[in-house]
Amino acid sequence: MSLSPRHAVLIPSYNSGSLLAETVKEALGAWPDVIVVIDGSDDGSDRVVAGLCAEHAGLAMLRLPTNRGKGAAVLAGALWARAHGFSHVLTMDADGQHPASAIHPFVSRSQAWPDAMVLGRPVFGKDAPFIRVWGREISNMLVGIETGGMVRDCLFGFRVYPLAPLIATMEASRFMRGFDFDPEVVARLCWHGVPAENIPTSVRYPSANEGGISHFHYGRDNLRLILMHLRLLFAWMRGGNRERR
């Protein structure tokens, strides 16, 4: 690992509406290097961001021609970041859920421990939907089993990843391209010996009046998560947690 880690904020976005520009502006206010990956959006949400690129030298925007999923967008951004000399990315959602005020503390912790993942552990407010708070507990319990308790919340997307193991882990698998990305990648990174530090982090859920948008489909995406955990548990029982050896 480089003695001088270089971090970028990575924001994958699919039809995030007006909240994308707000999120990007807040991120730029906290950190100078920001990468936005437009994952096949067709709502025009990237237009303001394109204008911001002319005003901020550290802002880059990538466009994927079709919607490939969150994991695929993160991988595209990670490859771009590595090619441009970055060693780490901090991922944050485009919909205003994650606090830009936490960017600097997370990056600082990563700079002190560059080989580790720095993972947000959400602190929910009163605006958090009940089904989303409690529905994630099953995934957290299973990933806790699969990682020996190293990961305290497997679905919260506000995280710092070291790029080298992140890219290697994703390129070694055809999975982790959609909503299965967040939980599966942390499990597999743990299996490959990447330490994890969990930091409590506030989270908010913008209302529809505020432009809040969710692309999570409870039936389809919960089925994908179930299949992902079956895949991980099978690998874990076969000794997948010894991949690092």
Side-chain angles (χ1 to χ4, degrees), residues 88-151:
H88 295 70
V89 290
L90 182 153
T91 58
M92 67 184 296
D93 289 352
D95 58 4
Q97 288 190 29
H98 300 153
S101 60
I103 291 174
H104 196 273
F106 269 58
V107 171
S108 295
R109 189 66 192 97
S110 174
Q111 289 171 333
W113 196 9
D115 292 329
M117 300 178 282
V118 182
L119 309 177
R121 183 182 181 189
V123 178
F124 295 105
K126 295 180 180 179
D127 60 346
F130 178 84
I131 192 170
R132 297 189 69 171
V133 174
W134 291 102
R136 69 198 301 129
E137 291 307 311
I138 295 175
S139 281
N140 286 336
M141 178 186 69
L142 291 171
V143 168
I145 293 171
E146 294 152 3
T147 65
M150 291 178 64
V151 176

Side-chain angles (χ1 to χ4, degrees), residues 48 86 184 221 241:
V48 176
F86 292 96
E184 183 163 359
D221 292 318
N241 58 328

Side-chain angles (χ1 to χ4, degrees), residues 41-82:
S41 298
D42 57 11
D43 66 344
S45 56
D46 58 320
R47 293 172 187 161
V48 176
V49 179
L52 290 173
C53 288
E55 304 171 13
H56 298 271
L59 176 61
M61 187 173 71
L62 313 180
R63 286 187 177 91
L64 304 183
T66 59
N67 178 234
R68 301 178 187 174
K70 179 179 180 179
V74 169
L75 178 57
L79 289 168
W80 188 95
R82 182 178 66 179

Side-chain angles (χ1 to χ4, degrees), residues 11 13 15-27 43 45 48-49 92-97 204-214:
I11 304 174
S13 174
N15 286 352
S16 301
S18 60
L19 287 175
L20 173 60
E22 295 177 26
T23 300
V24 172
K25 290 176 183 178
E26 290 178 0
D43 66 344
S45 56
V48 176
V49 179
M92 67 184 296
D93 289 352
D95 58 4
Q97 288 190 29
R204 73 182 187 95
Y205 289 87
S207 66
N209 291 334
E210 295 173 302
I213 297 172
S214 174

Side-chain angles (χ1 to χ4, degrees), residues 68-72 175-183 221 224:
R68 301 178 187 174
K70 179 179 180 179
F175 299 108
M176 298 177 281
R177 298 304 189 265
F179 275 107
D180 58 348
F181 165 72
D182 285 319
D221 292 318
R224 288 178 177 174

Side-chain angles (χ1 to χ4, degrees), residues 173 175-176 180 184 188 191 224 226-236:
S173 172
F175 299 108
M176 298 177 281
D180 58 348
E184 183 163 359
R188 293 195 179 276
W191 293 353
R224 288 178 177 174
I226 290 169
L227 294 174
M228 178 213 69
H229 282 299
L230 289 174
R231 185 168 66 247
L232 282 179
L233 286 169
F234 181 71
W236 176 72

